[in-house]
Amino acid sequence: MEPASVSRSLLALVVVTAVLAAFSLVLRTVGVRGSLAGRGGRFLRVLESTALGGGAALHLVRVGERYFVLTAGSGHASQLCEVA
């Protein structure tokens, strides 16, 4: 490999790493990581969950100021109702 090729490869690696680090920081700042993982973000929060058997579960979820009852399992999720 030529020295110029190695230099370009290293520079590309540094740029990609910097972009990924910046993207990760932005996601953490807006709260996406915790929200999607169900750990209690700013907009989405799983309040209660219970197993129903057969891999299914029932969840009470708050999205903003609204509350929903959802079922999930075996590769699907369904909204049962909105709780007033």
Side-chain angles (χ1 to χ4, degrees):
M1 256 184 161
E2 296 179 27
S5 177
V6 172
S7 301
R8 273 187 261 135
S9 294
L10 287 175
L11 179 62
L13 181 62
V14 168
V15 169
V16 168
T17 303
V19 168
L20 288 175
F23 187 66
S24 175
L25 180 64
V26 167
L27 288 178
R28 274 189 258 144
T29 302
V30 297
V32 172
R33 187 177 65 172
S35 298
L36 294 179
R39 292 183 216 136
R42 296 184 309 176
F43 303 107
L44 178 77
R45 197 170 289 221
V46 178
L47 301 175
E48 291 286 333
S49 293
T50 188
L52 298 175
L58 185 68
H59 306 283
L60 176 62
V61 178
R62 186 183 82 191
V63 180
E65 298 300 319
R66 299 170 66 186
Y67 295 85
F68 299 94
V69 177
L70 310 173
T71 60
S74 302
H76 74 279
S78 301
Q79 175 186 336
L80 293 179
C81 65
E82 182 174 355
V83 180

